Amino acid sequence: MAILILVCVLWYSGLFFQSFFLHRYAAHQVFTMSKTVEKITFILTWICQGPSYLSAYGYGIMHRMHHAYTDTEKDPHSPKYDSNLFSMMWKTKNIYQDINNKRIAIDRKFTKNIPQWKSFDCFAGSRGSRIAWIIVYTFLFVFLATSWWQWLLLPVLFLMAPIHGVIINWFGHIYGYVNFKTSDTSKNLFRFDFLMMGEGYHNNHHKHSNRANFGGIYWYEIDITYGIIRILNKIGVIQLKPSALSLK
């Protein structure tokens, strides 16, 4: 039971910061925050993503490219141009690293206002940091695991952020339902997105990419991350942009 609780805590906390900070803040900037809160959020993202930490800079640029080039050869991750989800994950990893290490030229429209903390990203995304987290997770399993099958969950924790990404960028372009006609293959994975905290409403998001609420088209489309965003906005931690609240 302890292992399942640990996996759930890491799954949803890592997913929240990927959706809240990397996706809605860094890539789409649907709200603002102070520089102090931004740095605290960088650190919390590292703590919650652990060995699969993603930088706001690399993620934000790559996601903007995904929206600009969805389902074309320039898309960093598209089921139309990758034979299987593993090859897509590998391609995504390479593009992400090329962006972070500035090995490829990036159009300035993709870098505008992207948050970056170079020294922290250098530390949090380093091999040493990732290995340290792997050791921590392994020790937790040594003390908490009560059955052999629980050890099968350990690699999931090591690759948590890429797994979150492939669920949306692979399955979210193949399976699900469509609320809006778009020029791409984006789909909503769930009627109620209990698994991906709102990220599963992928068709909604591609239609209204700068909207803070990914759900809300129908009553059952509950975006959990957006609910937390509204609370944080209410207490003044962040400031939602008025433009992010409309369907235009």
Side-chain angles (χ1 to χ4, degrees):
M1 178 61 75
I3 285 295
L4 295 181
I5 292 173
L6 174 65
V7 170
C8 283
V9 168
L10 292 174
W11 176 273
Y12 285 108
S13 63
L15 176 60
F16 170 75
F17 283 101
Q18 187 163 329
S19 182
F20 167 77
F21 183 55
L22 304 181
H23 191 179
R24 307 189 203 209
Y25 177 71
H28 293 291
Q29 299 178 343
V30 300
F31 55 85
T32 60
M33 62 174 69
S34 70
K35 286 299 179 183
T36 299
V37 172
E38 183 180 281
K39 289 199 170 184
I40 291 171
T41 311
F42 264 102
I43 295 168
L44 290 175
T45 301
W46 171 65
I47 291 171
C48 292
Q49 288 191 328
S52 62
Y53 172 81
L54 296 172
S55 80
Y57 180 81
Y59 181 99
I61 290 173
M62 188 167 63
H63 187 71
R64 289 180 181 183
M65 291 171 64
H66 169 63
H67 275 273
Y69 305 128
T70 308
D71 290 335
T72 70
E73 290 183 351
K74 292 183 178 181
D75 190 341
H77 31 243
S78 172
K80 288 184 68 175
Y81 290 93
D82 292 294
S83 57
N84 58 70
L85 60 87
F86 297 106
S87 65
M88 189 188 80
M89 290 174 75
W90 187 256
K91 175 184 173 183
T92 302
K93 178 194 79 72
N94 289 335
I95 292 174
Y96 167 81
Q97 290 180 335
D98 286 344
I99 293 170
N100 259 348
N101 294 317
K102 296 181 170 59
R103 290 195 291 253
I104 56 175
I106 302 294
D107 193 310
R108 290 182 64 184
K109 68 183 179 182
F110 297 130
T111 64
K112 185 179 179 181
N113 297 326
I114 291 280
Q116 189 176 21
W117 188 0
K118 291 182 181 179
S119 58
F120 184 78
D121 277 344
C122 186
F123 156 71
S126 68
R127 184 174 299 175
S129 172
R130 298 189 192 281
I131 291 173
W133 278 116
I134 288 172
I135 292 171
V136 169
Y137 286 5
T138 303
F139 268 102
L140 287 172
F141 269 67
V142 168
F143 288 107
L144 299 176
T146 57
S147 181
W148 67 268
W149 63 266
Q150 294 176 358
W151 284 90
L152 300 177
L153 298 172
L154 188 56
V156 175
L157 298 188
F158 295 162
L159 298 171
M160 193 77 80
I163 291 172
H164 289 156
V166 82
I167 288 173
I168 301 304
N169 295 311
W170 181 269
F171 295 102
H173 281 268
I174 299 175
Y175 305 106
Y177 68 97
V178 170
N179 282 336
F180 301 101
K181 273 193 171 183
T182 61
S183 60
D184 54 61
T185 58
S186 60
K187 295 175 175 62
N188 295 329
L189 279 172
F190 312 101
R191 302 284 174 173
F192 167 57
D193 187 9
F194 65 94
L195 182 67
M196 299 301 294
M197 297 183 71
E199 291 289 313
Y201 300 125
H202 203 49
N203 173 250
N204 295 354
H205 175 55
H206 270 253
K207 178 63 177 180
H208 302 289
S209 59
N210 292 314
R211 185 171 179 252
N213 185 0
F214 292 178
I217 305 303
Y218 295 102
W219 67 268
Y220 47 78
E221 292 181 351
I222 300 171
D223 181 349
I224 299 170
T225 301
Y226 176 66
I228 299 171
I229 287 172
R230 289 302 297 261
I231 293 171
L232 294 174
N233 178 70
K234 186 78 173 177
I235 63 178
V237 175
I238 62 171
Q239 297 77 44
L240 267 167
K241 294 180 178 179
S243 59
L245 299 174
S246 71
L247 277 172
K248 294 181 180 179

